[in-house]
Each structure stands twice: as structure tokens, then as C-alpha cells.
Amino acid sequence: MIDGKRSVYINVAKSGKASTYDVVQNLKKVIPNIQKNLPDDVKISYEFDQSVYVINAVKSLIVEGVLGALLTGLMVILFLRDMRAAIIVILTIPISIISGVLFLKLFGQTINIMSLSGLALAIGILVDESTVTIENIHQHFAMGKTKARAIWDACMEIAFPKLLILLCILAVFAPALVMTGIPGSLFMPLALSIGFSMITSYLMSQTFVPIMANWMMKNNHVAGEVHKETAFDRFKVRYSNLLERLMASKKIIVSISLVLILALVAVMYQFTGKDVLPNVNSSQFQVRITAPEGTRIEKTEEKVKAVLHQLGTLIGKDKIAISSAYVGLHPSSFAVSPIYLYNAGPHEALLQVALKDFKGNSDLLKDEIRAHLKKTMPELKLSFEPIELTEKILSQGANTAIEIRISGMMKKMNAMSANKLMAKLKELDYLRDVKIPQSMNYPALEINIDRNRAAQLGLDAQDISKSLVASTASSRYTSKNMWVGGMMGIAYDVQVQMPQNILNSQDELANIPLSKNADRPVLGDVATITPVKTLGESYNLGTMGYTTVTANVHQTDLGRAKKDVQAAIDSLGELPKGVNIQVAGMAPVLDDTMNSLASGLLIAIVVIFLMLTANFQSFKVSLTILTTVPFVVFGSLVLLKLTGSTINMQSYMGIIMAVGVSIANAVLLISNAETLRLENKNAMLSAITATGLRIRPIIMTTLAMTAGMLPMAIGFGEGGDQVSPLGRAIIGGLVASTFSVLIILPLVFAWVLGKTKVQSPSLDPEDENSVHFNN
């Protein structure tokens, strides 16, 4: 039914690598041609369209990207007070993004939510390279150098540190090469889009930015002129004085802060909710309606129309854009796999509803619908299911978040255990739609043949069963009949079946004749007919039968629900012999996802550590830089908790990204401090001096990245809920890492490298700084 009227509904599914948008657009083009070949009284209309969600999500992410670029430019103007410098930084963004898109095309990627999230995310990260270059040029201007010399020296000074920063950020994407399953499939386009844009951004910061700086920027500093003190200069002096005072207690401060932050990370991780995907606030919903078992299809249709009327009363008829309902079973001649749309029997219906201008919370709306229909139509059972394309794919076929399978060779024993478990689950107040979806008590008529009586009348069981085929089922599966007719000579499959509305009672069944061309004997002469309850459908894994208990989760994370469900299973005690319980649905996907992402974060940290060690030729320097990682994770978890987000696939990717970006800031500081230490042989003085030199670019890039990702973190527009945890995790991680880089990291550097020799452990005998020089 479409909007309560009987219709023929055709489901069109795209192939795996096809573009949703292209499929929809091409389908719309051919509909007029299909209409021409149909009778005049048959009209084709285009109804549910998943491309609307995809296109709206793309538009939202593009808007986020533009807003991010503007906010980034604003941060550069705020710090450098140089409009020309801000224009140069902003100009690098579209060029890098376009280059990233071209490389995505070469690698066979598509424009999707994940690749667009990567590009929107890259806008904040891209400014790092250009902003550091522009800020360093300003520092060299302040030294009284000529424009060309200042630009050249500034670019040469930070060329290698920036390359190291680029490699650190790219190292974050190493897990994408080893991740499998859903995380791997989603992380790869994100990693590629950011990686390609970052490489282009680095090349431009060393070519495009200095050339544009030479053309556009003005050197307002005159050699020998006294530099006018600014508010930031005064802040930098106070900050350096604070750092000097903290150096006296550096060991105590570092030890306490690291122990405390590690403990807080462990606590926050335990108390932050965990999900596979962020909760999406959609303007569409899909609900499975189950009437009492045995309800005839026409009665179910009436109940669905009543449900639509109640929805119109609750939501408002003008708020419902369209409704689509499929009632009853697929006909046996239907050629499409029921995997796309299935019902347990004529008593079930699947209803899809799209709302106009929906601004509320979809979870609360679903709860209102449940409460309203329970009051007005208590005989119905509801179960909400995923409707958005991404939800359906990523749920891996699970219609509900919670699914428990009770398996065993004895189906009645499975059903008993399932009912006990269902009673336990109903005690959890946040679970919704708790039910056994399998049709367990379907009304049936059991026919017991009296073989002695049948033999006396010259009949056997085979004769009786053949006589009942046309009345109770169909000849389609028992005797194949073909009829060739029409001008085209087409062969038709002929099946014999009595219309269901003619066979209305048990007495009519008993009066079915069993012999050809004779009114007697009838079924009632040789058999007894008894009303019974039986399985309406059978669930099997191979030869093993099973029964499922399903439930939805309302405004609670899947991680908590998984623990409580396991506790409910354990509370059943020892199960009957031969009965097994297995948690299915999204719970195993959650475990696989969390394990894969945790491995990804660990691999990223190890790769970065090895790369830093190879560059600095020192394990101590590498470990010093990595002390920022716990602070990043803590900052991400705090902001996720404050904004009501969970640890999910998107937020975990955000944490991995935040680790890479924060390490980039740490490298910018430590590389300068290590260079100074090798010259003055004083780790504490080097740390204070390097922090004073790098505080402005670090704060600038952090604020610019935060501003660039703020639109994504807010998550407005269609699809915004899916990517907002990604932005929130990065912003939280960046803010915390900035504190650790500017306060804790110099103290760690001064402590760890305070007594370290300045000679390099390099094996190169021609390296003047090597212990093996001239050996």
C-alpha cells in the first residue's frame, strides 16, 4: 500500500559498486519510457528515494567545509593581523582539496559520507602546514630581514620539521592498510582523502605559499627598528616565567600528571558509552507490525490502515510525506529474494514512513508511537528497524540492535528458554520491542487419517493428500503443468488452487471429496480434524533449529545493553542439556569494531614512534613526544561525554586522527628544542626557549583546526549526526594536547634529556656529531 491505497511496489536495489545517485537519476529518466508501454489506467510514481539522504548529506558536508575554511582564515587574521597572509592560507585549501578529489578518483574511490568527512576534516588539518610557514615568515620579518631573505630562511628552517609532521600524520593512516571488516572499509576512504590532501598541502606550503608571500605580503619591519610590544608578547613573557617556576618541580609535576591522566583515561573509557555507529536522527522510519497469529491478510490490511490513521492523529497528516506498507507474504511466484522484504505470515506488515520538515528527536518520536498504539491498538506488536541505507548496510542484516539465538535439536525446549529470557529482558527499562519474532503459535488444523477406514474405502494416504493439494495449498510444487498460448507462443505455468475465501470452516474442509467424479467418500469419513497451535515458520542453522529473542535499545549505548543482556543470560542458570545461547545482532559487530580500532590506534602509535626514533636517533626524544598521547585520548573522551556522544567507529577514528595532529605539534616544539640542546647543551633552557618560539604557531594551528572542524562537530543537516562524533573527538583531543604540549612536554623534555649526551649515536663516520666521527 502507498498512502493507504493498494499498489504494486517495485524495489530497485543497486549493485555493490554502483553510485546511488546515478542509479536513481537513470531510473527517473527511463520511467516515462516504461509508462508509454503500459495501459492508460496504470500509473507509475516514484516514491522512496535513498539518494535524497545521500545528496543532503553531501550538501551538508560541503557547507561544513566552506564554513570551516572561513573560520580558519578568521583565526589567522586574529593572530597575525594580516589579511594578505590569511588569503594565502585560504587559497591553499581549495587547491589541496581538489587535488585530493582527483587522487580519490584515480584510486577508484567515490564521493561518499566517509570520503567527504575526510575532506571536511582535512580543511582543519591543511592549514597546519601553510599557517606554520606564514607564521615563521612573520618571525623572520621581525628579525629585520628583507622580504626575500625572510621568506627563504623561514621556509628552509621548517622544511624538514614540516616533512616530519606530514609523515607523522600520514603514519596515522597505517592502520587503514591492516584493518578489516567494517572499520577497514570505512577508514580507507577517510585516510586516502586526508592523506592526498595533506601531501598536496605540504608541497604547496613549500612552493605556492612562499611565491604568493613574495607577491602579496608586506614587510612592515625595518632593520634596526625597535619592535613594538604586543599583548601576545606580554603573554609569552608571563608564560615563560611560569614555565621556569614549574621547572623546579618538573619531576613531581610530570609523574603526578602522567599517572593521573592514565587513570582518568581508564575510568573515562569504562564510563563512556560504546556503539558501532552514532545514533542517527532520521526523518524516515521503518516499523514491523505484527497482528495476532492467524490473522487473515485482509484483516491485517485493515489494521495497517488503522495504524496509518493513528499516526496521522499523533503526528499530523500534513506531516507525513509518504507511507509505504507491505502486508502478508511474498507470493510463491515472486522472483525477488525476500532478503529485501520479508514477513513471517499474513499477520505481519512492514511499514515505511517519510516525514516532512522533521526537526524533533526520532527516538522520542518512536517511543511516542509505541505508547500511542499500545493504548489504541493493544493487540499489535511493533518493532522498529533500520531504514537508512547506511544503517541497513552497517547493521549487517540485523533488524534490531539486540538479538539472542537459542539453538538446540528440540524446538520446544528452545522456545521455553526463549520465553524465560524474554521475561528477563523486559525487566530492563531501556529495551524496547522485546519479542520472539518467530511465529510460534500459529493456528492450524491437524488431519489424522484413519488408515483402516481409508483402506476399506479403497484409499491410501497418497490419494488423500493429492485430493487436499488444490484446496489447502497449490499444485505448483506437486505437478508441473505448462500451457502454450497466445500469438507469441509463450509457455505459461498453470497452478490449480481453490480461492482461500471459499474454504472458510473446518466443516468445509471435512467435506472435501477424495475420489474423482464422486461426492463420497469425503475427508471427514476417513480422518479426524483437530485445531492445534504449531510453528508458523522454522529457523535453522544447517540441521540445528533455533529461536531468537530480539529487542531495540532506547537512548542507551549498545555496550551497556550488551553487558546487561549477558547478565540476563547468566541469570537463567544452567541451561537444559542440548540448549545453546549465542548473542547475535550488533553485539559481535561492536566487539570486532572496538578491537579493530584499538589495534589501529596502537599500530599508529608504534609506527610514529619508530619513525621519530629513526629521525632523532634517540628513543628518549621519541618517548618524550609520545607523552602527549594520553592527554589527547583523555580530551577526546571528555568532550564526547560532555556532548552525549559515544565511543563508536566515527569517534574512534577521530581519536586516531587527533593523536596524529597532536604529535605534529609536539614534533614542531621538540625538534626545535633538540636543535637548541645540541648547541647549548642545556635541556631546560632549550625547552623554555623553543616553547617561547613555537607557542604562537601551536596555538594558531590548534585554534584554526578547532574552528575548521566546529561545523562538523555541531553536526547540523542531514547526515550530520553520523560525522559529528568524528569532529568532537578531534577538537577535544586537540585542546587537551595543546595544554600537554605547552606545559607538560617541556618539563618532560628537560627531565628526560637533562643529562643526555649531545653526541649523536649515528654510525656514519663522516657525521661530525657522531661518536664514530673519524673512527
Side-chain angles (χ1 to χ4, degrees):
M1 294 189 296
I2 301 294
D3 292 334
K5 299 176 182 177
R6 289 187 181 181
S7 309
V8 176
Y9 184 81
I10 301 175
N11 181 48
V12 179
K14 72 180 186 70
S15 61
K17 294 185 178 180
S19 163
T20 303
Y21 179 77
D22 289 342
V23 169
V24 170
Q25 294 306 310
N26 290 330
L27 183 61
K28 287 180 177 178
K29 288 178 184 177
V30 300
I31 281 178
N33 294 331
I34 299 173
Q35 183 71 68
K36 290 177 184 177
N37 297 309
L38 295 174
D40 294 336
D41 59 341
V42 177
K43 302 295 181 185
I44 296 181
S45 64
Y46 194 84
E47 303 302 344
F48 276 91
D49 181 359
Q50 287 285 357
S51 73
V52 174
Y53 173 80
V54 174
I55 297 305
N56 287 343
V58 169
K59 288 178 181 177
S60 297
L61 282 166
I62 291 173
V63 171
E64 288 174 12
V66 173
L67 287 173
L70 294 175
L71 289 170
T72 298
L74 191 63
M75 287 296 108
V76 176
I77 295 172
L78 182 65
F79 270 85
L80 298 182
R81 298 179 183 179
D82 188 342
M83 180 70 74
R84 295 167 184 253
I87 292 172
I88 294 171
V89 171
I90 292 173
L91 283 175
T92 62
I93 293 174
I95 299 171
S96 300
I97 293 295
I98 291 169
S99 302
V101 171
L102 290 175
F103 278 107
L104 285 175
K105 176 69 175 175
L106 291 175
F107 277 73
Q109 296 292 329
T110 60
I111 297 296
N112 52 55
I113 289 176
M114 291 311 299
S115 58
L116 274 173
S117 298
L119 293 173
L121 190 62
I123 288 170
I125 303 174
L126 290 177
V127 298
D128 186 31
E129 303 281 350
S130 302
T131 304
V132 169
T133 303
I134 290 292
E135 195 278 335
N136 210 38
I137 289 172
H138 269 268
Q139 282 200 23
H140 282 266
F141 280 168
M143 295 177 188
K145 297 180 181 179
T146 62
K147 182 194 283 190
R149 172 54 60 185
I151 293 172
W152 175 264
D153 290 348
C155 291
M156 290 297 290
E157 183 180 52
I158 58 173
F160 187 77
K162 282 200 306 179
L163 177 62
L164 191 59
I165 288 170
L166 172 67
L167 294 176
C168 284
I169 294 176
L170 292 180
V172 171
F173 306 131
L177 303 175
V178 296
M179 279 186 185
T180 57
I182 294 175
S185 301
L186 289 181
F187 197 43
M188 182 60 78
L190 182 83
L192 290 176
S193 56
I194 296 177
F196 292 140
S197 301
M198 282 298 301
I199 293 170
T200 308
S201 177
Y202 171 75
L203 295 174
M204 290 185 64
S205 70
Q206 290 300 104
T207 53
F208 177 81
V209 170
I211 291 171
M212 293 298 292
N214 193 42
W215 285 354
M216 294 178 62
M217 290 176 67
K218 290 183 178 180
N219 185 356
N220 296 321
H221 298 275
V222 180
E225 182 185 25
V226 178
H227 175 62
K228 186 178 179 181
E229 190 178 49
T230 63
F232 190 82
D233 291 328
R234 291 192 292 272
F235 165 74
K236 192 161 65 173
V237 170
R238 288 196 295 270
Y239 166 74
S240 297
N241 292 334
L242 172 65
L243 208 55
E244 283 183 26
R245 290 196 296 272
L246 293 176
M247 283 293 179
S249 308
K250 56 181 178 290
K251 293 183 180 181
I252 296 173
I253 294 171
V254 170
S255 300
I256 293 174
S257 61
L258 285 177
V259 170
L260 185 63
I261 205 71
L262 288 171
L264 287 173
V265 166
V267 172
M268 287 295 297
Y269 185 80
Q270 290 297 322
F271 284 93
T272 305
K274 298 170 186 64
D275 277 313
V276 177
L277 292 169
N279 192 25
V280 178
N281 198 33
S282 174
S283 60
Q284 301 178 354
F285 64 83
Q286 177 172 303
V287 59
R288 188 171 297 278
I289 301 168
T290 307
E293 293 181 57
T295 304
R296 292 177 66 94
I297 191 167
E298 61 270 21
K299 296 294 183 182
T300 307
E301 182 184 21
E302 291 175 6
K303 291 182 183 295
V304 172
K305 288 181 179 179
V307 169
L308 286 171
H309 175 73
Q310 293 296 334
L311 289 177
T313 304
L314 178 66
I315 303 170
K317 290 183 179 179
D318 58 325
K319 295 291 184 182
I320 298 178
I322 186 172
S323 66
S324 165
Y326 186 85
V327 184
L329 292 167
H330 283 78
S332 56
S333 58
F334 198 56
V336 174
S337 171
I339 192 172
Y340 296 111
L341 192 70
Y342 77 91
N343 287 331
H347 61 288
E348 263 195 13
L350 192 68
L351 176 65
Q352 296 178 327
V353 177
L355 304 175
K356 292 178 186 174
D357 304 322
F358 179 68
K359 303 296 182 184
N361 185 296
S362 57
D363 280 344
L364 295 178
L365 175 63
K366 289 174 184 177
D367 232 25
E368 288 178 16
I369 293 171
R370 289 184 184 105
H372 184 76
L373 290 179
K374 186 177 182 180
K375 183 179 178 181
T376 55
M377 304 180 71
E379 74 278 10
L380 299 182
K381 293 179 182 178
L382 303 182
S383 180
F384 285 89
E385 300 177 355
I387 185 170
E388 300 293 0
L389 192 62
T390 48
E391 285 185 279
K392 287 185 175 181
I393 294 170
L394 296 175
S395 66
Q396 294 188 314
N399 283 331
T400 55
I402 302 296
E403 182 181 336
I404 304 102
R405 293 179 179 175
I406 299 96
S407 59
M409 298 304 293
M410 298 179 67
K411 294 185 178 181
K412 287 186 178 180
M413 194 70 74
N414 296 345
M416 287 174 59
S417 301
N419 281 308
K420 288 180 182 178
L421 179 60
M422 187 168 65
K424 293 282 186 182
L425 295 183
K426 285 183 176 179
E427 295 174 6
L428 299 173
D429 58 353
Y430 58 82
L431 289 186
R432 300 289 188 274
D433 312 331
V434 182
K435 68 171 189 175
I436 297 174
Q438 188 178 1
S439 181
M440 304 288 288
N441 296 296
Y442 204 86
L445 294 173
E446 186 176 83
I447 301 171
N448 292 306
I449 300 171
D450 185 338
R451 294 178 181 270
N452 293 330
R453 179 64 176 156
Q456 291 171 359
L457 295 173
L459 298 170
D460 58 21
Q462 187 175 7
D463 295 329
I464 296 170
S465 63
K466 282 183 179 180
S467 301
L468 294 177
V469 164
S471 303
T472 59
S474 168
S475 63
R476 173 181 173 85
Y477 300 109
T478 56
S479 55
K480 193 168 184 178
N481 297 308
M482 304 300 294
W483 173 70
V484 180
M487 293 186 297
M488 305 296 291
I490 298 174
Y492 294 92
D493 181 14
V494 179
Q495 53 192 49
V496 182
Q497 184 176 8
M498 181 185 290
Q500 290 185 6
N501 61 334
I502 293 177
L503 191 62
N504 283 321
S505 67
Q506 184 175 328
D507 290 338
E508 289 178 359
L509 182 64
N511 287 321
I512 292 175
L514 302 179
S515 299
K516 293 180 180 179
N517 304 319
D519 293 335
R520 303 300 291 242
V522 294
L523 182 62
D525 295 335
V526 297
T528 56
I529 303 172
T530 310
V532 295
K533 295 289 182 69
T534 186
L535 290 174
E537 54 182 340
S538 180
Y539 290 2
N540 290 281
L541 285 171
T543 59
M544 183 76 75
Y546 71 92
T547 302
T548 60
V549 179
T550 60
N552 280 313
V553 179
H554 176 69
Q555 294 193 324
T556 301
D557 64 281
L558 184 59
R560 178 191 169 189
K562 177 175 169 289
K563 289 180 181 177
D564 290 346
V565 166
Q566 189 60 53
I569 293 171
D570 295 339
S571 69
L572 294 176
E574 189 175 351
L575 297 171
K577 187 174 177 62
V579 175
N580 308 291
I581 292 186
Q582 177 189 6
V583 179
M586 293 296 287
V589 180
L590 175 66
D591 290 338
D592 293 343
T593 301
M594 290 296 116
N595 292 337
S596 182
L597 289 168
S599 302
L601 178 60
L602 182 62
I603 290 169
I605 293 170
V606 170
V607 170
I608 291 172
F609 173 73
L610 294 175
M611 188 172 61
L612 291 174
T613 302
N615 173 70
F616 290 108
Q617 298 181 355
S618 169
F619 286 109
K620 290 183 178 180
V621 176
S622 302
L623 287 171
T624 300
I625 292 173
L626 290 181
T627 54
T628 61
V629 173
F631 292 90
V632 177
V633 177
F634 175 71
S636 297
L637 292 177
V638 167
L639 192 57
L640 289 173
K641 188 71 175 176
L642 291 175
T643 55
S645 299
T646 58
I647 300 173
N648 51 58
M649 200 178 301
Q650 295 280 15
S651 55
Y652 222 127
M653 288 182 195
I655 293 172
I656 294 173
M657 282 300 309
V659 167
V661 175
S662 65
I663 285 176
N665 283 337
V667 167
L668 187 67
L669 174 65
I670 295 302
S671 62
N672 199 331
E674 180 66 0
T675 302
L676 292 172
R677 188 186 72 84
L678 294 176
E679 292 175 0
N680 59 30
K681 301 177 178 59
N682 188 324
M684 187 175 75
L685 178 62
S686 300
I688 296 171
T689 306
T691 307
L693 289 171
R694 294 306 177 198
I695 184 171
R696 186 165 70 170
I698 288 172
I699 293 176
M700 271 181 63
T701 53
T702 298
L703 288 177
M705 289 181 202
T706 302
M709 281 175 284
L710 201 57
M712 178 189 287
I714 294 171
F716 70 93
E718 194 103 38
D721 294 332
Q722 276 198 332
V723 295
S724 59
L726 183 68
R728 291 167 186 171
I730 292 179
I731 289 175
L734 283 177
V735 172
S737 77
T738 303
F739 164 78
S740 67
V741 167
L742 295 178
I743 300 293
I744 304 299
L745 195 60
L747 304 180
V748 177
F749 182 85
W751 180 16
V752 174
L753 295 163
K755 297 180 180 179
T756 304
K757 296 178 180 179
V758 295
Q759 280 188 307
S760 168
S762 170
L763 297 176
D764 183 3
E766 297 181 1
D767 184 356
E768 294 181 1
N769 296 319
S770 172
V771 294
H772 301 283
F773 180 61
N774 287 334
N775 287 344

